[in-house]
Amino acid sequence: MLAVLGTFLCLAACGEPVQETEKKGTERKETAGAAENADNQELSWEDGRISLTLVEGVSVDAEIIKPDHIGETVEKCRVEIGNADQMGLANVLFPDIEAEEWKVDDYGFGTVLSYKGNLKVPFSQAEQQGNARISEGIRFYTDRWLKCEANLPVLFTSKGILTFGDLSGELDFDSRSAVAEKVTGYLREKLGMETAVEEMYTLRWQTLEAQEEKNREDGGEDLKTPEPQNWTWSEEDDSYYLVLERYINGIPMLNDHYLRREEGLAPVGRITVGYSANGMEGLDSLENFIVTETEPVELAGPEVILDALKKKLELLIVDSVTVTQMKLIYFPYFRPDGDCDLIPVWRITCEQGGEEQHIYIEADTGNEVTE
């Protein structure tokens, strides 16, 4: 049955978006049946949870996640993607590396600043061999972290993050909470990025070694590496792997894998960090977003968003689908000039049989974001 839901969601997403309704009174009437299941209560984003039956087979028992500072209005943003002052950023990240040691390449779509050699990574006094790259985003890693990253028991998919094995618990060198505080503080103070930890995983060397063996069995050689490696594993490889959300104007960015038919893979605010006893050994910030314009828009009421969701799902014959979360995020739309518009949307999580699908509905118009 889950496959039926997944197929339907894909077909619906590729169709026409729900059109904006001009008369909100009509929208309230259309959702009156659903609202009656909530004892005729006035639906509000401030309630923190919405519980009702949306359509036969589809129930809503959803946590509402919305920043406290968002009231009746929310801002659309226009942003530039990239890092304008790459050398200045390089000096912030690695002040011990001389400017002439960085390599500058122009691939036609913009310059890329890169370095290979000894790095003194954040929260470490010792130098390690590694690589750094600054382009639209920021990426650096030590050679030690590269072998961990090549064998992560974590996958990013269109349905969320898939994990393999037990990735819980604390490591001896530092606690989860202390590492999370250090990393978010560093990103804020050094790079001006407001972030929050979305997921955090404990990677023990035995887990990484087991994943490497699985990769060899599946692929014949180490996956995600240019050539076979002869790695050995030890306690030095025990690490935390953090997945962070990037915030713009106090609203989290899209963090999901989302492919749009005409635009390609949507840019995301996801930042990943590898942290060991040797410090912050890996950072991957896929894109950097610089706000250039903002425009306030009115936040549509819950009945408008639920009506759009109802129209999407009411033709589906399916049992036991539950809407578990409605989270306000920014979704990026590419512009012809290469910039992006960040549109506030509700990321709606639908659960069936223990698996999740996400639907995205614009928070001001009620239109669905389509693939």
Side-chain angles (χ1 to χ4, degrees):
M1 192 61 69
L2 178 64
V4 175
L5 174 60
T7 301
F8 175 84
L9 293 180
C10 180
L11 291 174
C14 294
E16 292 296 322
V18 176
Q19 298 300 311
E20 182 176 1
T21 305
E22 296 180 357
K23 297 181 179 180
K24 291 188 178 180
T26 301
E27 294 164 338
R28 286 188 170 86
K29 290 180 182 178
E30 289 176 350
T31 55
E36 287 176 0
N37 290 299
D39 298 325
N40 295 313
Q41 67 181 352
E42 182 79 16
L43 298 178
S44 169
W45 295 125
E46 308 307 322
D47 292 341
R49 179 169 291 276
I50 293 178
S51 300
L52 49 83
T53 298
L54 187 64
V55 66
E56 186 176 357
V58 180
S59 62
V60 179
D61 186 17
E63 178 188 15
I64 307 302
I65 300 180
K66 178 178 71 68
D68 292 339
H69 72 280
I70 302 297
E72 295 182 356
T73 62
V74 62
E75 287 187 332
K76 292 182 178 180
C77 298
R78 180 174 176 176
V79 299
E80 295 178 354
I81 298 179
N83 293 288
D85 184 7
Q86 294 178 343
M87 188 55 70
L89 188 54
N91 290 333
V92 170
L93 290 167
F94 302 107
D96 295 332
I97 300 176
E98 299 295 334
E100 59 269 18
E101 297 182 69
W102 290 90
K103 180 182 177 183
V104 181
D105 292 303
D106 191 340
Y107 295 101
F109 55 83
T111 60
V112 175
L113 197 63
S114 62
Y115 169 83
K116 183 175 183 178
N118 286 330
L119 297 173
K120 187 181 290 184
V121 298
F123 307 106
S124 175
Q125 295 302 313
E127 289 188 338
Q128 300 183 65
Q129 187 73 16
N131 290 260
R133 177 186 174 95
I134 302 173
S135 54
E136 289 188 345
I138 302 168
R139 175 163 164 74
F140 68 78
Y141 54 87
T142 66
D143 288 357
R144 194 210 65 82
W145 175 249
L146 177 63
K147 74 174 183 178
C148 297
E149 189 177 54
N151 296 285
L152 286 176
V154 175
L155 287 177
F156 296 96
T157 75
S158 58
K159 296 180 180 180
I161 304 175
L162 299 182
T163 59
F164 309 95
D166 180 13
L167 305 182
S168 63
E170 305 270 337
L171 295 172
D172 291 340
F173 65 82
D174 219 337
S175 69
R176 282 176 166 242
S177 58
V179 169
E181 186 175 350
K182 288 179 182 178
V183 169
T184 54
Y186 176 86
L187 294 174
R188 180 176 57 253
E189 294 165 13
K190 294 292 186 179
L191 302 179
M193 295 181 179
E194 288 299 327
T195 62
V197 175
E198 182 181 37
E199 299 287 350
M200 189 169 182
Y201 305 105
T202 300
L203 308 177
R204 293 181 173 83
W205 69 267
Q206 297 93 333
T207 304
L208 296 167
E209 185 177 45
Q211 187 64 37
E212 180 192 27
E213 182 60 31
K214 183 177 185 303
N215 288 349
R216 290 181 184 276
E217 293 173 359
D218 292 345
E221 60 184 29
D222 299 331
L223 302 183
K224 296 187 286 187
T225 59
E227 57 188 22
Q229 303 287 331
N230 295 314
W231 286 324
T232 57
W233 300 90
S234 69
E235 286 187 4
E236 188 181 17
D237 299 308
D238 288 349
S239 306
Y240 291 115
Y241 183 61
L242 294 81
V243 180
L244 300 103
E245 296 177 305
R246 172 82 186 274
Y247 280 70
I248 304 291
N249 294 338
I251 298 176
M253 288 280 301
L254 173 76
N255 249 19
D256 304 321
H257 177 96
Y258 196 93
L259 184 65
R260 304 200 73 202
R261 183 185 301 170
E262 297 182 358
E263 297 184 356
L265 195 64
V268 296
R270 184 192 311 138
I271 299 171
T272 57
V273 168
Y275 196 105
S276 76
N278 299 318
M280 188 169 155
E281 292 198 57
L283 168 69
D284 195 348
S285 173
L286 302 180
E287 284 96 8
N288 187 39
F289 303 92
I290 304 170
V291 177
T292 58
E293 297 179 18
T294 60
E295 175 191 354
V297 295
E298 185 177 353
L299 192 66
E303 67 280 357
V304 176
I305 306 304
L306 290 173
D307 184 49
L309 185 62
K310 177 183 177 184
K311 289 177 180 177
K312 182 177 180 66
L313 297 178
E314 62 186 348
L315 298 179
L316 179 63
I317 302 174
V318 49
D319 297 326
S320 301
V321 175
T322 304
V323 178
T324 59
Q325 188 184 90
M326 301 175 72
K327 180 176 180 177
L328 189 67
I329 68 168
Y330 272 135
F331 194 102
Y333 288 164
F334 279 115
R335 298 171 58 93
D337 60 9
D339 290 351
C340 267
D341 288 325
L342 299 186
I343 307 299
V345 308
W346 289 102
R347 176 186 185 264
I348 299 173
T349 302
C350 299
E351 182 179 299
Q352 183 186 35
E355 293 199 25
E356 295 180 342
Q357 298 276 357
H358 303 303
I359 300 170
Y360 304 88
I361 298 177
E362 293 181 3
D364 58 333
T365 66
N367 292 340
E368 183 192 352
V369 176
T370 56
E371 292 183 346

